[in-house]
Amino acid sequence: MIPRTTILHAGLAVFIIFLTAVQASGQYFDIGQDPCSLKWRQIKTEHFRFIYPAAYERQARHLAAFSDSVYRYGSFSLKSKPRRVPVILHTLSVISNATAPWAPRRIEILTCPPQDIYAESWLYQVLIHEFRHTVQVEKMYQGFSRGLYYILGEQVAAGLTGLFVPFWFTEGDATATETAISHSGRGRVPSFEMELRTQLLTDGRYGYNKAVFGSYRDHVPDNYILGYHLVSMGRAEYGTVLWDHAMNTVGRKPFLITPFTYGIRSVTGISRIRLYRHLADTLAKAWHLQQQKETYTAYTTISRTDTKFYTSYRHPQFIGDSTYISLKTSIDDIGRLVKVDKYGRETIVHTPGLYFGEAISYAQGLAAWSERLNDPRWSQRSYAVIKVFDSNTGKVKQLTRKSRLFAPSLSHDATQIVSVEAGTADVYALVILDVSTGKEIKRIAMSGGLFLMTPSWSPDDKNIVAVVMDDRGKSLVLVDPVTGSIRHLTPFSFTEIATPVMYENYVFYTGAYSCISNIYAVDTATLLIYRVTSSVFGAFDPAISADGKEILYADYSGKGYKLVKAGIEKSQWVPLEEIADNRFPLDVIISQQELGVPPVDTTKSQTFTSMRYRKWKNLINPHSWAPLAIDAQNQTFMPGVSVLSQNALSTSFLSLGYAFDLNEQVGRYYMDYSYRGFYPVIDVTFNIGQRAGEQVDEHDRIERFTWHENNLSLKATVLQDYNRNAWFMGWQPTVGSELIHIHHDDLTPDDFIEGNIQAMEYRLVAYNQIKTGYRDIYPRWAQAVDINYRHTPFTGNSLGDIWSAESYLYFPGILPHQGIKLYAGYQSKHPKNYSFSDLITYPRGYSELYFDEAASFSVNYKFPLLYPDLSLSSLLYLMRVKVNLFYDYAIGTNDQGESVNTSAGIELTGDMHILRFLSPLDLGVRTTYLPNNNTFGLEFLFSINFTTWYKDRSDNEPLSPEIVQVKKY
């Protein structure tokens, strides 16, 4: 007999999984579209299906040859064999990223490699990492959860993973795998462990909730860093069985409520909290012993040391003897170029837009960087353009158009710029541009698949120093810009090297030859390598003074990267062969638990059959279903049945089923279809079934009645989103038509509307916003308008017409991160025998206001009150408390005359995690005072932010949730 508590746990688990799966799948399955003009092809291997643009044939074949090795090696330690996985290759974006969504199950790779890549092929490393995620997901389809799959489809993985499996494990396990079965991997790069090492040795171990969910008060290493070390340390102490058993428990017994923790406890005898503490303390002890074995470089700190918040200064350069320029980022501000004097006083030089942070160059009053420009319509096409800021004029000049140029470096006389071009077919070149005109002077193509990184000029501008990479690893090279010849200064190796600069016969660069990243120098004559700095936690981004006597660099600390300088004393340099590598050998331990590095059989690449991928034949791909009617777009559900479909290219979305409305107590069949592969987005909705309403009879009794209603709507929306410098703007025109047919049944009153209603809608949404920082609640500056007109111009029943105009204005408050939001709306409608619903927002606290003409206004002042980082075991983790003061006003007219309605109040909300659920909740209360009747009201406020599942904390996030909600079509 099954225990009653187990049955209750199982029922509760199923309900929560339903809710989580509905929310997650509705929010995250679309990462955007490629241009509709692209021609696609596909290759099917035993375990993968590669879908790619036709021009990417060679690379797709090569990746396919690698994939079957990845399948065997990448699934070994987690003991799971995924079904055939679709892999979609997006080649037109300059973003370097990849993802493995849960529903529908697939891998999506943006193929452009980053400039800060570690010494492993970009395609190889992301395929290993993302395939490991599909291995994790496959663990969800066993035992009890396999039964859930037949009920929910692929969205069950979203529910189980989001509810039970901590994010640090999913990303940490994938990062450990990418490290263990490759020649490099983030786990072998000292800068990857640096943030956690620094935190443990300076601030101590954070509480589990803070370490996992982050903080608005302190910098917290992300879940990739935390997860890699917890997963790897767990494997080091308990073997691979630890995480394999934990994931098996989630899949087989989700009704245990905390199955992941249960699986850990059954292997280790302790909870995951105690395991976290033990592993973190073990790491801290090991790193403390390493720290005691080193002596450190004396330096002078240039940047402010009294900063309250985590602040970093990267890519510093000399302007003069005692003035410096650097890229400054902070948890308290967006990224800016700043000038710093010898006393640490700062002046903001410029605020760039979506910059690539791998290199900022400065010479003769000019600053140059690469910035991302998005295609207005196609989110999977973007460009990397060179921008130059002239400090003398204060103006920014965009030097290139629709380019893919990265890591620009100004020549010392500021007449030329050298940058790296990464073509859409993975062809790379050094491109030299004229600074005044932007015209191409010279192009040096790289042969043999060499990938270039962070070039810079020699002091006499006669040579270019850069890092190159291929299958053998990385090498430091000198390039002759006239002849294009390449001279290697260091042999190829998988040791991390980056950001080289040249002075006299030395090239200075960041090297990872030991457990700490430091500045090294190679003698171009003898090719001998020396360590120049000895940093406590890490030294990066070297720059040499004009007289060669000082080195400027970014030195990492618990408060971020400091701007420091030190004297160049060659007598203090340490030869490379004398450098002791005291690193903790986590990478070695986990590598020994795997099969090794997956081999690549390049001869196999030509044996695959490449076929044309016909988009029209692959529009329908059912992936999830449920005994519920799921509205994926609005994230709601009701009794019924539903099927969800999405194709591989994320252009075709279908939801169909039967829904029973609990309020009206009637049911209807529905179909929602969206096609996003054309320039306009086409949405079609069809509903057929019963509706219900109420009326008051002659005896003042409320009577319920029903009718049959069929609804067909067609809508076309053009999405146009732009970015310019630090601003983001866009507009979305929409044209829609809706046909409603109402048919009476036996319970329908004779005077109720009957027949056809054909309505038209015309809408325009436009917005403009400056980019936001991590702690900003509202955008600092933003404007948005929403204009809407609906009418019934055709034959049949008439709803009259309605038009509205709404505007949203955002301004900074008195103190940082405080904000003002102003709203104004006007609406006019001329109802006939049936009326359109209201389009504007009325004052809070009123449930029923009916006006033919109305104007509505509101003012909000919102500010953070506390950053408590309050943890109550597994029940609650409170990160931020916010207060919103508001006043609402509306004036409207109807048949009974004019009415004025006002309200005022306060909202107290908090950003929190409850029961350690992955996504934060915004939970609180609203107290509203209604002067018209002198009453108070109390409401509970609730929202959930699922964007954290796929969003990092970069200040490059273009839109705040406020504006996204306004512009959502």
Coordinates of all heavy atoms in Angstrom, one line a residue, residues 913-964:
H913 N 13.0 35.1 -3.5 CA 12.9 33.7 -3.9 C 12.2 32.9 -2.8 O 12.6 33.0 -1.6 CB 14.3 33.1 -4.2 CG 14.9 33.6 -5.4 ND1 14.9 33.1 -6.6 CD2 15.7 34.8 -5.5 CE1 15.6 33.8 -7.5 NE2 16.1 34.8 -6.9
I914 N 11.1 32.2 -3.1 CA 10.4 31.4 -2.2 C 10.6 30.0 -2.5 O 10.5 29.5 -3.6 CB 8.9 31.8 -2.2 CG1 8.7 33.2 -1.7 CG2 8.1 30.8 -1.4 CD1 7.3 33.7 -1.7
L915 N 10.9 29.2 -1.4 CA 11.1 27.8 -1.6 C 12.3 27.5 -2.6 O 12.3 26.5 -3.2 CB 9.9 27.0 -1.9 CG 8.7 27.1 -0.9 CD1 7.5 26.4 -1.5 CD2 9.1 26.5 0.4
R916 N 13.2 28.4 -2.7 CA 14.4 28.3 -3.6 C 14.0 28.1 -5.0 O 14.7 27.5 -5.8 CB 15.3 27.2 -3.1 CG 15.9 27.5 -1.7 CD 17.2 26.7 -1.4 NE 17.8 27.2 -0.2 CZ 17.8 26.4 0.9 NH1 17.2 25.2 0.9 NH2 18.3 26.9 2.0
F917 N 12.8 28.6 -5.4 CA 12.4 28.5 -6.8 C 13.3 29.4 -7.6 O 13.7 30.5 -7.2 CB 10.9 28.9 -7.0 CG 10.4 28.8 -8.4 CD1 10.4 27.5 -9.0 CD2 9.9 29.9 -9.1 CE1 10.0 27.4 -10.3 CE2 9.5 29.7 -10.3 CZ 9.5 28.5 -11.0
L918 N 13.7 28.9 -8.8 CA 14.7 29.6 -9.6 C 14.4 31.0 -9.9 O 15.3 31.9 -9.8 CB 14.9 28.8 -10.9 CG 15.9 29.3 -11.9 CD1 17.3 29.4 -11.3 CD2 15.9 28.4 -13.1
S919 N 13.2 31.3 -10.3 CA 12.9 32.7 -10.7 C 12.4 33.5 -9.6 O 11.7 33.1 -8.7 CB 11.8 32.7 -11.8 OG 12.3 32.1 -13.0
P920 N 12.8 34.8 -9.5 CA 12.4 35.7 -8.4 C 11.0 36.1 -8.5 O 10.5 36.3 -9.6 CB 13.4 36.9 -8.5 CG 13.7 36.9 -10.0 CD 13.8 35.5 -10.4
L921 N 10.4 36.2 -7.4 CA 9.0 36.8 -7.3 C 9.0 38.2 -6.8 O 9.9 38.6 -6.0 CB 8.2 35.9 -6.3 CG 7.6 34.6 -6.7 CD1 8.8 33.6 -6.8 CD2 6.6 34.1 -5.8
D922 N 8.1 39.0 -7.4 CA 7.9 40.4 -6.9 C 6.6 40.3 -6.2 O 5.5 40.3 -6.8 CB 7.9 41.3 -8.1 CG 7.9 42.8 -7.7 OD1 7.9 43.0 -6.5 OD2 8.0 43.7 -8.6
L923 N 6.7 40.3 -4.9 CA 5.5 40.0 -4.0 C 5.3 41.2 -3.0 O 6.3 41.6 -2.5 CB 5.7 38.7 -3.3 CG 4.5 38.1 -2.5 CD1 3.4 37.7 -3.5 CD2 5.0 36.9 -1.8
G924 N 4.1 41.6 -2.8 CA 3.8 42.6 -1.8 C 2.4 43.0 -1.7 O 1.5 42.2 -2.1
V925 N 2.1 44.2 -1.2 CA 0.8 44.7 -1.0 C 0.6 46.1 -1.5 O 1.6 46.8 -1.6 CB 0.4 44.6 0.5 CG1 0.4 43.2 1.0 CG2 1.4 45.4 1.4
R926 N -0.6 46.4 -1.8 CA -0.9 47.8 -2.2 C -2.1 48.3 -1.3 O -3.1 47.7 -1.1 CB -1.4 47.8 -3.6 CG -1.9 49.2 -4.1 CD -2.6 49.1 -5.4 NE -1.8 48.8 -6.5 CZ -2.1 48.1 -7.6 NH1 -3.4 47.7 -7.7 NH2 -1.3 47.8 -8.5
T927 N -1.9 49.5 -0.7 CA -2.9 50.1 0.1 C -3.4 51.3 -0.7 O -2.5 52.2 -1.1 CB -2.4 50.6 1.5 OG1 -1.9 49.4 2.2 CG2 -3.5 51.3 2.3
T928 N -4.6 51.4 -1.0 CA -5.2 52.5 -1.8 C -6.3 53.2 -1.0 O -7.1 52.6 -0.4 CB -5.8 51.8 -3.1 OG1 -4.9 51.0 -3.7 CG2 -6.3 52.9 -4.0
Y929 N -6.2 54.6 -1.1 CA -7.2 55.4 -0.5 C -8.0 56.1 -1.6 O -7.5 56.6 -2.6 CB -6.5 56.5 0.3 CG -7.5 57.6 0.8 CD1 -8.5 57.3 1.7 CD2 -7.4 58.9 0.3 CE1 -9.4 58.2 2.1 CE2 -8.3 59.9 0.8 CZ -9.3 59.5 1.7 OH -10.2 60.5 2.1
L930 N -9.4 56.0 -1.5 CA -10.3 56.5 -2.5 C -11.0 57.7 -1.9 O -11.9 57.6 -1.0 CB -11.3 55.5 -2.9 CG -10.8 54.1 -3.5 CD1 -11.9 53.2 -3.9 CD2 -9.9 54.4 -4.6
P931 N -10.5 58.9 -2.2 CA -11.1 60.2 -1.6 C -12.6 60.3 -1.9 O -13.4 60.9 -1.1 CB -10.3 61.3 -2.3 CG -9.1 60.7 -2.8 CD -9.5 59.3 -3.2
N932 N -13.1 59.8 -3.1 CA -14.5 60.0 -3.4 C -15.5 59.4 -2.4 O -16.5 60.0 -2.1 CB -14.8 59.3 -4.8 CG -14.2 60.0 -5.9 OD1 -13.2 60.8 -5.7 ND2 -14.7 59.9 -7.1
N933 N -15.1 58.3 -1.8 CA -16.0 57.7 -0.8 C -15.3 57.5 0.6 O -15.8 56.8 1.4 CB -16.6 56.4 -1.2 CG -15.5 55.4 -1.8 OD1 -14.3 55.6 -1.5 ND2 -16.0 54.5 -2.6
N934 N -14.1 58.1 0.7 CA -13.3 58.0 1.9 C -13.1 56.6 2.4 O -13.3 56.3 3.6 CB -14.0 58.9 3.0 CG -13.0 59.2 4.2 OD1 -11.8 59.2 4.0 ND2 -13.6 59.3 5.4
T935 N -12.6 55.7 1.6 CA -12.4 54.3 1.9 C -11.0 53.9 1.6 O -10.3 54.5 0.7 CB -13.4 53.4 1.2 OG1 -13.2 53.5 -0.2 CG2 -14.8 53.7 1.6
F936 N -10.5 52.9 2.3 CA -9.2 52.3 2.0 C -9.4 50.9 1.5 O -10.3 50.2 1.9 CB -8.4 52.3 3.3 CG -7.9 53.6 3.8 CD1 -8.6 54.4 4.6 CD2 -6.6 54.0 3.3 CE1 -8.1 55.6 5.0 CE2 -6.1 55.3 3.7 CZ -6.9 56.1 4.6
G937 N -8.5 50.5 0.6 CA -8.5 49.1 0.1 C -7.1 48.5 0.2 O -6.1 49.2 0.2
L938 N -7.1 47.2 0.3 CA -5.8 46.4 0.4 C -5.8 45.3 -0.6 O -6.8 44.6 -0.7 CB -5.7 45.8 1.8 CG -4.4 45.0 2.1 CD1 -3.2 46.0 2.1 CD2 -4.5 44.3 3.4
E939 N -4.8 45.3 -1.4 CA -4.6 44.3 -2.5 C -3.2 43.6 -2.3 O -2.3 44.3 -1.9 CB -4.7 44.9 -3.8 CG -6.0 45.6 -4.2 CD -5.9 46.3 -5.5 OE1 -6.1 45.7 -6.5 OE2 -5.7 47.6 -5.5
F940 N -3.2 42.4 -2.7 CA -1.9 41.7 -2.8 C -1.4 41.7 -4.2 O -2.2 41.6 -5.2 CB -2.1 40.2 -2.4 CG -2.3 40.0 -0.9 CD1 -3.6 39.9 -0.4 CD2 -1.3 40.0 0.0 CE1 -3.8 39.7 1.0 CE2 -1.5 39.9 1.3 CZ -2.7 39.7 1.8
L941 N -0.1 42.0 -4.4 CA 0.5 42.1 -5.7 C 1.5 40.9 -5.9 O 2.2 40.5 -4.9 CB 1.3 43.4 -5.7 CG 0.5 44.7 -5.5 CD1 1.5 45.9 -5.5 CD2 -0.6 44.9 -6.5
F942 N 1.5 40.4 -7.1 CA 2.3 39.2 -7.4 C 2.7 39.2 -8.8 O 1.9 39.4 -9.7 CB 1.5 37.9 -7.1 CG 2.2 36.7 -7.5 CD1 3.2 36.1 -6.7 CD2 1.9 36.1 -8.7 CE1 3.8 34.9 -7.2 CE2 2.5 35.0 -9.2 CZ 3.5 34.4 -8.4
S943 N 4.0 39.0 -9.1 CA 4.5 38.8 -10.4 C 5.7 37.9 -10.3 O 6.3 37.8 -9.3 CB 4.8 40.1 -11.2 OG 5.8 40.8 -10.6
I944 N 6.1 37.3 -11.4 CA 7.2 36.4 -11.4 C 8.0 36.7 -12.7 O 7.5 36.9 -13.8 CB 6.8 34.9 -11.4 CG1 8.0 34.0 -11.2 CG2 5.9 34.5 -12.6 CD1 7.6 32.6 -10.8
N945 N 9.3 36.7 -12.5 CA 10.2 37.1 -13.6 C 11.0 35.9 -14.1 O 12.0 35.5 -13.5 CB 11.2 38.2 -13.1 CG 12.1 38.7 -14.2 OD1 11.9 38.4 -15.4 ND2 13.2 39.4 -13.8
F946 N 10.5 35.3 -15.2 CA 11.2 34.2 -15.8 C 12.4 34.5 -16.7 O 13.1 33.7 -17.1 CB 10.2 33.3 -16.6 CG 9.3 32.5 -15.8 CD1 8.1 32.9 -15.4 CD2 9.7 31.2 -15.4 CE1 7.3 32.1 -14.6 CE2 8.9 30.4 -14.6 CZ 7.7 30.9 -14.2
T947 N 12.6 35.8 -16.9 CA 13.8 36.2 -17.8 C 15.1 35.8 -17.1 O 16.1 35.7 -17.8 CB 13.8 37.7 -18.1 OG1 13.9 38.4 -16.9 CG2 12.5 38.1 -18.8
T948 N 15.1 35.7 -15.8 CA 16.4 35.3 -15.1 C 16.9 33.9 -15.5 O 18.0 33.6 -15.3 CB 16.2 35.4 -13.6 OG1 15.1 34.5 -13.2 CG2 15.9 36.8 -13.1
W949 N 16.0 33.1 -16.1 CA 16.5 31.8 -16.5 C 17.5 31.9 -17.6 O 18.3 31.0 -17.8 CB 15.3 30.9 -16.9 CG 14.4 30.6 -15.9 CD1 14.1 31.3 -14.7 CD2 13.5 29.4 -15.8 NE1 13.2 30.6 -14.0 CE2 12.8 29.5 -14.6 CE3 13.3 28.3 -16.7 CZ2 11.9 28.5 -14.2 CZ3 12.4 27.4 -16.3 CH2 11.7 27.4 -15.1
Y950 N 17.4 32.9 -18.4 CA 18.3 33.0 -19.6 C 19.0 34.4 -19.7 O 19.6 34.7 -20.7 CB 17.5 32.8 -20.9 CG 17.1 31.4 -21.1 CD1 15.9 31.0 -20.7 CD2 18.0 30.5 -21.6 CE1 15.5 29.7 -20.9 CE2 17.6 29.1 -21.8 CZ 16.4 28.8 -21.4 OH 16.0 27.5 -21.6
K951 N 19.0 35.2 -18.6 CA 19.5 36.5 -18.7 C 20.7 36.7 -17.7 O 20.6 36.3 -16.6 CB 18.4 37.5 -18.3 CG 18.8 38.9 -18.2 CD 17.7 39.8 -17.8 CE 18.1 41.2 -17.4 NZ 17.0 42.0 -16.9
D952 N 21.8 37.3 -18.2 CA 22.9 37.6 -17.3 C 22.6 39.0 -16.7 O 21.6 39.6 -17.0 CB 24.2 37.5 -18.0 CG 24.4 38.5 -19.1 OD1 23.6 39.5 -19.2 OD2 25.3 38.3 -20.0
R953 N 23.6 39.5 -16.0 CA 23.4 40.8 -15.3 C 24.2 41.9 -16.0 O 24.6 42.8 -15.3 CB 23.8 40.6 -13.8 CG 22.9 39.7 -13.1 CD 23.3 39.5 -11.7 NE 22.4 38.6 -11.0 CZ 22.6 38.1 -9.8 NH1 23.7 38.4 -9.2 NH2 21.7 37.3 -9.2
S954 N 24.4 41.7 -17.2 CA 25.1 42.8 -18.0 C 24.3 44.0 -18.1 O 23.1 44.1 -18.2 CB 25.4 42.3 -19.4 OG 25.9 43.3 -20.2
D955 N 25.0 45.2 -18.0 CA 24.3 46.4 -18.1 C 24.0 46.7 -19.6 O 23.5 47.8 -19.9 CB 25.1 47.6 -17.5 CG 26.4 47.9 -18.3 OD1 26.5 47.6 -19.5 OD2 27.4 48.4 -17.7
N956 N 24.3 45.8 -20.5 CA 24.0 45.9 -21.9 C 22.6 45.4 -22.2 O 22.2 45.5 -23.3 CB 25.0 45.1 -22.7 CG 26.3 45.8 -22.9 OD1 26.3 47.0 -22.7 ND2 27.3 45.1 -23.2
E957 N 21.8 45.0 -21.2 CA 20.4 44.6 -21.4 C 19.7 45.8 -22.0 O 19.6 46.9 -21.3 CB 19.8 44.1 -20.1 CG 18.4 43.7 -20.3 CD 18.3 42.4 -21.1 OE1 19.3 41.7 -21.2 OE2 17.2 42.1 -21.6
P958 N 19.1 45.8 -23.2 CA 18.6 47.0 -23.8 C 17.4 47.6 -23.2 O 17.2 48.8 -23.2 CB 18.4 46.6 -25.3 CG 18.3 45.1 -25.2 CD 19.1 44.6 -24.1
L959 N 16.4 46.7 -22.8 CA 15.1 47.2 -22.4 C 14.8 46.8 -21.0 O 15.0 45.7 -20.5 CB 14.0 46.7 -23.3 CG 14.1 47.1 -24.8 CD1 13.1 46.4 -25.6 CD2 13.9 48.6 -24.9
S960 N 14.2 47.7 -20.2 CA 13.7 47.4 -18.9 C 12.3 46.6 -19.1 O 11.7 46.8 -20.1 CB 13.4 48.6 -18.1 OG 12.3 49.3 -18.6
P961 N 11.9 45.9 -18.1 CA 10.6 45.2 -18.2 C 9.5 46.1 -18.4 O 8.5 45.8 -19.0 CB 10.6 44.4 -16.8 CG 12.0 44.3 -16.4 CD 12.7 45.5 -16.9
E962 N 9.6 47.3 -17.9 CA 8.5 48.3 -18.0 C 8.3 48.6 -19.5 O 7.1 48.6 -20.0 CB 8.9 49.6 -17.3 CG 9.0 49.5 -15.8 CD 7.7 49.6 -15.2 OE1 6.8 50.2 -15.7 OE2 7.5 49.0 -14.1
I963 N 9.3 48.8 -20.3 CA 9.1 49.2 -21.7 C 8.8 47.9 -22.5 O 8.0 48.0 -23.4 CB 10.4 49.8 -22.3 CG1 10.7 51.1 -21.5 CG2 10.3 50.1 -23.7 CD1 9.6 52.2 -21.7
V964 N 9.3 46.8 -22.1 CA 9.0 45.6 -22.8 C 7.5 45.3 -22.7 O 6.8 44.9 -23.7 CB 9.8 44.4 -22.2 CG1 9.2 43.1 -22.8 CG2 11.2 44.5 -22.6

